[in-house]
Amino acid sequence: MNETGNSRAGEGVPRAHEPAGEVKSAVAGFVHELKGFRANIEERLKQQEEKITMFERKSFVPARPVLAGGHDGIAPHRKAFNAYLRSGDDDGLRGLELEGKALGTSIAGDGGYLVDPQTASTIKSTLSATASIRAIANVVAVEATSFDVLIDHSDVGHGWATETAGLAETATPGIDRITIPLHELSALPKASQRLLDDSAFDIEGWLAGRIADKFARAEAAAFVNGNGVDKPTGFLTKPSVDNDVWTWGNLGYVPTGATGAFDGADSVIDLVYALGAEYRANASFVMNSKTAGALRKLKDADGRFLWSDSLAAGEPARLLGYPVLVAEDMPDMAAGAMAVAFGDFGAGYTVAERPDLRVLRDPFSAKPHVLFYATKRVGGDVSDYAAIKLLKFATS
């Protein structure tokens, strides 16, 4: 009975391990589904990253400009100057904190502004590189309307003294003053407003190139042939006399012995030694290309060419051992022309200039163009008449 009763009492009752097995099976199923979900998410993320990578490769442009939030590396004075050129807005220029050594300062009272340091540097470099007397002359910067050169060209008298005889008064040297006035050199380039509005256009480079070209050609011509009226005085406009009767206030010349041509190499050698020995150490020849071409063919009595090309890069050619400056403003060979100059131009010719260059913007006078009126004050004149000699293409 007990066995039968016990057996019947246990019928339909789950065993102790059965609930744990069901839980374990359920958890295993959940973990399996979770892993599948995770794998599905990872696969989708991978596909999304591949699509993004492909999109970036197709749309990427090298050296692409920053659309927004980029660092503005333009110096404040350049940014203000560009704004002034494009639209005439001078608020940025007026609000700049200025340093005494900077060129980006405003000129009080006349509404002009100094070109910013980068632009002015470009202009100065171009002027120095042109074939102008400036390259070999004495160049001084002044802050006045003129520059005075003091010259002592006379000599002290002398005599031989004896023990008992009285001394006679001797001549006293005098000092001459040569005044070099500064004249206003100007340029008036223009650009359309549409061109100025184009932010991709290099305004500073364009403006500097235009002004530099005009200033270089104008002053180079004036240093040679200027008449001194509202422009520098050129050395060829000074009175000239035969070097055998040379006096102060004139430039001495040596004739070639032939009208409008060379009569051999002797006249060139005579020109060199017509210049005083104290000047010859720093002397240079000045002529234009046509004259240089004729001189290249001259030979001395032994058949050697007077002209020798430089063996070093950047060095000028030499004539009889002296450097040659080819300045196209020198006259061509013609009857009576002073087509060749020889001398120490560092002592003989002085260029005086103010260091500032002004640019005024005029958007009204030439619509739809904008005019840029650039000015610079410069002067030049002979400062030592004994330091420069000329070669005259004539018989006497």
Side-chain angles (χ1 to χ4, degrees), residues 34-90:
L34 182 62
K35 288 182 178 180
F37 178 77
R38 179 180 177 182
N40 188 27
I41 293 297
E42 291 178 348
E43 180 65 23
R44 292 185 178 183
L45 290 174
K46 183 177 180 180
Q47 293 176 358
Q48 188 69 20
E49 289 177 354
E50 290 177 352
K51 291 180 179 180
I52 293 175
T53 301
M54 293 175 62
F55 177 78
E56 289 178 344
R57 287 178 179 176
K58 291 180 179 181
S59 60
F60 175 75
V61 178
R64 203 174 183 183
V66 179
L67 297 178
H71 173 66
D72 187 2
I74 302 178
H77 62 276
R78 291 187 59 197
K79 190 173 182 180
F81 184 70
N82 265 326
Y84 172 68
L85 292 183
R86 294 182 194 280
S87 62
D89 180 12
D90 59 359

Side-chain angles (χ1 to χ4, degrees), residues 16-161:
H17 67 276
E18 287 180 355
E22 291 176 357
V23 171
K24 184 175 181 181
S25 176
V27 170
F30 176 77
V31 171
H32 178 73
E33 292 177 357
L34 182 62
K35 288 182 178 180
F37 178 77
R38 179 180 177 182
N40 188 27
I41 293 297
E42 291 178 348
E43 180 65 23
R44 292 185 178 183
L45 290 174
K46 183 177 180 180
Q47 293 176 358
Q48 188 69 20
E49 289 177 354
E50 290 177 352
K51 291 180 179 180
I52 293 175
T53 301
M54 293 175 62
F55 177 78
E56 289 178 344
R57 287 178 179 176
K58 291 180 179 181
S59 60
F60 175 75
V61 178
R64 203 174 183 183
V66 179
L67 297 178
H71 173 66
D72 187 2
I74 302 178
H77 62 276
R78 291 187 59 197
K79 190 173 182 180
F81 184 70
N82 265 326
Y84 172 68
L85 292 183
R86 294 182 194 280
S87 62
D89 180 12
D90 59 359
D91 291 340
L93 289 172
R94 296 181 184 277
L96 285 177
E97 294 183 4
L98 306 175
E99 296 181 9
K101 63 181 179 180
L103 292 179
T105 60
S106 62
I107 299 178
D110 59 7
Y113 298 95
L114 290 177
V115 178
D116 71 298
Q118 183 172 345
T119 305
S121 176
T122 304
I123 295 175
K124 183 176 180 61
S125 176
T126 305
L127 287 174
S128 298
T130 55
S132 167
I133 297 301
R134 167 188 286 269
I136 55 176
N138 176 34
V139 181
V140 296
V142 298
E143 295 290 344
T145 58
S146 63
F147 180 72
D148 289 345
V149 180
L150 301 179
I151 297 292
D152 174 18
H153 60 84
S154 57
D155 201 357
V156 179
H158 71 283
W160 294 99

Side-chain angles (χ1 to χ4, degrees), residues 131-132 285-290 292 307 324-330:
S132 167
F285 283 96
V286 180
M287 65 193 75
N288 66 18
S289 296
K290 291 182 179 180
W307 187 285
V324 178
L325 175 69
V326 178
E328 301 301 343
D329 295 293
M330 291 291 291

Side-chain angles (χ1 to χ4, degrees), residues 171-359:
T172 303
I175 297 177
D176 279 352
R177 181 177 67 178
I178 297 176
T179 299
I180 302 176
L182 270 63
H183 305 281
E184 190 169 278
L185 177 64
S186 63
L188 193 63
K190 68 179 180 180
S192 67
Q193 185 62 53
R194 179 177 297 181
L195 191 62
L196 297 175
D197 290 339
D198 184 3
S199 60
F201 185 76
D202 183 8
I203 295 179
E204 290 180 274
W206 170 82
L207 181 62
R210 289 291 301 273
I211 296 174
D213 179 68
K214 207 162 193 178
F215 280 13
R217 288 185 284 113
E219 71 166 24
F223 294 155
V224 176
N225 298 305
N227 59 11
V229 179
D230 297 329
K231 62 174 65 71
T233 302
F235 68 91
L236 287 186
T237 62
K238 294 294 183 179
S240 59
V241 297
D242 192 296
N243 196 64
D244 292 337
V245 294
W246 175 83
T247 56
W248 182 264
N250 303 281
L251 294 182
Y253 68 79
V254 173
T256 60
T259 301
F262 290 102
D263 185 19
D266 290 349
S267 59
V268 181
I269 298 174
D270 292 339
L271 176 65
V272 170
Y273 290 97
L275 187 67
E278 66 274 20
Y279 297 111
R280 284 201 297 269
N282 298 314
S284 302
F285 283 96
V286 180
M287 65 193 75
N288 66 18
S289 296
K290 291 182 179 180
T291 308
L295 269 170
R296 288 182 66 98
K297 305 171 186 177
L298 291 183
K299 300 179 181 180
D300 61 15
D302 297 325
R304 295 172 298 187
F305 285 102
L306 304 182
W307 187 285
S308 61
D309 290 319
S310 173
L311 299 179
E315 289 293 324
R318 291 184 174 269
L319 178 62
L320 293 175
Y322 296 96
V324 178
L325 175 69
V326 178
E328 301 301 343
D329 295 293
M330 291 291 291
D332 293 336
M333 294 185 300
M338 306 287 186
V340 178
F342 178 72
D344 180 1
F345 284 84
Y349 196 88
T350 298
V351 175
E353 61 183 2
R354 296 196 64 163
D356 58 321
L357 183 143
R358 299 179 298 171
V359 179

